[in-house]
Amino acid sequence: MEREAATSPNENGPEPDAAAIRRHPALFRAIRRRQNPRLRRSDITVTDEAAVKRAVKAASLGNAMEWFDFGIYAYLAGTIGRVFFPSGSDTAQLLSSFATFAVAFLVRPLGGMVFGPMGDRIGRKKVLALTMILMAIGTAAIGLIPSYDAIGFWSPLLLILFRLLQGFSTGGEYGGASTFIAEYAPDKRRGFFGSFLELGTLAGYTGAAGLVTALTAWLGSDTMDAWGWRIPFLLAAPLGIVGIYLRLRLDDTPAFLKLEGANVHVSDAATAVETSARGDLAKIFRTHWRPLVLCIALVGAYNITDYMLLSYMPTYLSDELDYSESHGLLILVVTMVLLMLIINRVGRISDRYGRRPVLMTGMIGFFVLSAPAFVLVQNGSLLAVSGGMLMLGLSLVCLLGTMSAALPAMFPTNVRYGSLSVGYNLSTSLFGGTTPLVITALISVTGSDMMPAYYAMAAALVGVVAVACMKETAQQPLAGSPPSVQTEEEAAELVEAQAPTPKF
């Protein structure tokens, strides 16, 4: 028994007893050194800042396009309801439109289960290029669908079909893009570079809202219903071509190249984690279910608050408070521009003080401020509505600026793309895309205009618990990867810090 304990003092075997350690101290020191070898200079990745910036640009542009596409649909929900779902009831039209919005999220987990493991198997950049091609096709095709008056029930049927294609392709987008940036970025600046991914989210939403607002003001509601709504969807094609070009020009991440056997040096300890069994869904659910559950809880809270503010709020302002569609969108655009100005600073703060404090600030902010914010919004004046939306926006930016660095760090390199894609899209499917539909239905059933605030508060409470349970990962290497630094000097300091102290 003593020998068995001595040969396997780790998490996969029995712990050695204190007596065995006292009798064989040299043996146990040798075992610990073998399991946790000191870093060599060749183990440490020194990042190329130009390559990091190219990776961030390509990943963020794709994310911006994704949310541009989804934002267009959300901001044109009323128009789409009239074009594709003729009905005597405005509420029925809106519910039908939001139900079709939610349909795309039903297949996102399938997309995550297909594209995530594929990204762990054939590479991050190839899958990210493929998802962008499919997204561009699906979005542009929606802009070409004839109206219900022209082809009858085939019109909403085609709309649902292409929404499903959008949702399926998006299933591999966020997990891949956040993984791509996280694996390129140096450990001490992962929050800063990761925040550009969500800067792309805000840019996509802002571009969609700004374009819809401008077109509505220029063409008028009747012309928008007739053909103007098609323009934003058709713009997806050229945007997609640019994004595909940028992504295909990149090399894959150093962490993935190591898995492929490329000449990237890592320590023996990292090698033990980065096995060749990649893309195994069964392994993800069996071995990594704890971080998977935590990821689902975090993403659920994050997405409910995100979609409530960035997707649903313009509809809330127009349908519940009788704002004009363009007026509500304009207020949202101003709010999102302000968030874009500070989101990278939030990323820097998370690098300095940690992911958990910043995420907790955002979750508590939503829990405490949602009700007062909606009371202000219901006041109806421009100043009150803007103040309420800014309160919600400042809470949201704490999540936006941090989440894309926190989520990839939950999983080891060999299953990171797959695990994050599965967890993120399961949660988004259940809680994110259904948010406008659920809130609209709750308001219809209860008659209370405060239901969005209560829904956000419930989500934030779940988020507080999830953040309390997560590990701090700021300034630490990604699981299964060697340390990543910006300069040779930092690499030398890391090696020197692990050198044994001389004894005299």
Side-chain angles (χ1 to χ4, degrees):
M1 286 297 293
E2 181 183 79
R3 180 62 180 167
E4 179 185 357
T7 55
S8 56
N10 57 61
E11 61 184 10
N12 297 319
E15 289 293 330
D17 57 48
I21 295 176
R22 284 195 299 270
R23 284 194 295 270
H24 308 285
L27 173 62
F28 279 96
R29 283 197 299 270
I31 291 172
R32 283 194 294 270
R33 282 197 299 269
R34 184 176 180 85
Q35 290 176 336
N36 301 288
R38 293 191 183 95
L39 286 170
R40 297 164 300 193
R41 169 58 196 87
S42 58
D43 296 334
I44 301 170
T45 300
V46 178
T47 60
D48 177 352
E49 183 148 353
V52 173
K53 289 180 178 178
R54 286 196 301 271
V56 168
K57 183 189 301 181
S60 301
L61 179 63
N63 206 47
M65 178 186 164
E66 174 190 348
W67 297 113
F68 176 80
D69 295 346
F70 273 75
I72 287 169
Y73 193 97
Y75 301 143
L76 287 172
T79 300
I80 289 172
R82 292 188 292 271
V83 172
F84 290 97
F85 303 99
S87 169
S89 167
D90 290 341
T91 301
Q93 284 183 337
L94 191 60
L95 282 171
S96 298
S97 179
F98 278 141
T100 310
F101 179 80
V103 157
F105 289 83
L106 296 179
V107 296
R108 281 185 68 154
L110 294 178
M113 291 178 186
V114 171
F115 292 120
M118 189 186 299
D120 287 326
R121 190 166 56 251
I122 69 172
R124 281 60 163 134
K125 80 165 189 175
K126 293 176 184 176
V127 175
L128 284 173
L130 177 59
T131 58
M132 179 162 279
I133 291 170
L134 294 177
M135 172 63 79
I137 291 173
T139 306
I142 290 175
L144 298 173
I145 300 173
S147 68
Y148 185 93
D149 292 338
I151 60 173
F153 81 96
W154 289 104
S155 181
L157 189 65
L158 287 171
L159 176 63
I160 291 171
L161 175 65
F162 290 123
R163 284 291 294 164
L164 289 173
L165 179 60
Q166 279 187 320
F168 185 73
S169 62
T170 306
E173 176 62 36
Y174 183 89
S178 57
T179 293
F180 203 77
I181 292 178
E183 291 180 350
Y184 256 108
D187 296 333
K188 292 184 178 181
R189 301 187 71 195
R190 189 169 295 117
F192 171 68
F193 284 117
S195 67
F196 281 92
L197 188 65
E198 297 298 355
L199 179 65
T201 298
L202 291 173
Y205 271 126
T206 302
L211 182 59
V212 170
T213 302
L215 287 172
T216 302
W218 179 37
L219 298 175
S221 296
D222 292 341
T223 305
M224 282 295 290
D225 286 2
W227 56 267
W229 65 271
R230 300 180 184 277
I231 295 174
F233 288 101
L234 294 175
L235 282 176
L239 286 176
I241 292 171
V242 173
I244 293 163
Y245 171 73
L246 287 176
R247 287 185 170 181
L248 288 176
R249 289 182 62 217
L250 296 171
D251 292 327
D252 231 313
T253 67
F256 177 78
L257 293 176
K258 165 62 183 75
L259 294 179
E260 289 295 283
N263 187 27
V264 179
H265 299 288
V266 297
S267 69
D268 294 337
T271 303
V273 177
E274 297 181 16
T275 66
S276 60
R278 304 184 305 276
D280 184 356
L281 280 175
K283 179 182 177 182
I284 289 172
F285 285 105
R286 184 177 62 251
T287 309
H288 304 284
W289 65 269
R290 288 183 181 85
L292 198 63
V293 170
L294 187 59
C295 175
I296 289 172
L298 279 172
V299 173
Y302 159 57
N303 269 304
I304 286 174
T305 53
D306 186 302
Y307 282 89
M308 182 270 290
L309 178 61
L310 301 186
S311 293
Y312 175 74
M313 189 59 78
T315 302
Y316 179 84
L317 292 174
S318 60
D319 280 28
E320 307 301 328
L321 303 181
D322 297 323
Y323 264 62
S324 68
E325 292 181 1
S326 59
H327 193 181
L329 280 174
L330 190 58
I331 296 174
L332 181 61
V333 167
V334 173
T335 303
M336 289 192 293
V337 169
L338 290 175
L339 300 187
M340 289 171 68
L341 294 175
I342 63 175
I343 190 170
N344 297 133
R345 295 183 182 274
V346 174
R348 287 183 188 276
I349 290 171
S350 79
D351 281 330
R352 182 172 180 179
Y353 297 105
R355 317 288 185 230
R356 295 180 68 207
V358 181
L359 288 174
M360 188 64 81
T361 299
M363 296 298 182
I364 292 175
F366 269 111
F367 185 74
V368 174
L369 299 177
S370 289
F374 270 87
V375 170
L376 280 175
V377 169
Q378 289 175 358
N379 177 275
S381 70
L382 177 61
L383 186 61
V385 172
S386 301
M389 291 181 68
L390 186 59
M391 288 167 65
L392 296 172
L394 291 175
S395 299
L396 180 61
V397 80
C398 293
L399 310 183
L400 288 171
T402 312
M403 200 68 76
S404 53
L407 294 176
M410 291 182 174
F411 304 100
T413 303
N414 62 316
V415 294
R416 181 171 297 123
Y417 196 154
S419 299
L420 182 51
S421 293
V422 170
Y424 185 89
N425 289 294
L426 276 173
S427 187
T428 302
S429 176
L430 292 171
F431 307 111
T434 59
T435 295
L437 178 64
V438 170
I439 292 177
T440 302
L442 287 173
I443 292 175
S444 178
V445 169
T446 65
S448 172
D449 291 343
M450 288 295 291
M451 290 312 297
Y454 301 148
Y455 196 48
M457 290 168 67
L461 190 58
V462 173
V464 167
V465 175
V467 174
C469 294
M470 70 180 286
K471 295 178 180 178
E472 182 57 70
T473 57
Q475 300 193 28
Q476 298 176 19
L478 292 169
S481 292
S484 178
V485 299
Q486 286 184 273
T487 65
E488 292 284 351
E489 289 75 14
E490 285 184 72
E493 288 173 6
L494 275 178
V495 174
E496 185 177 349
Q498 290 205 341
T501 303
K503 296 180 181 180
F504 300 97

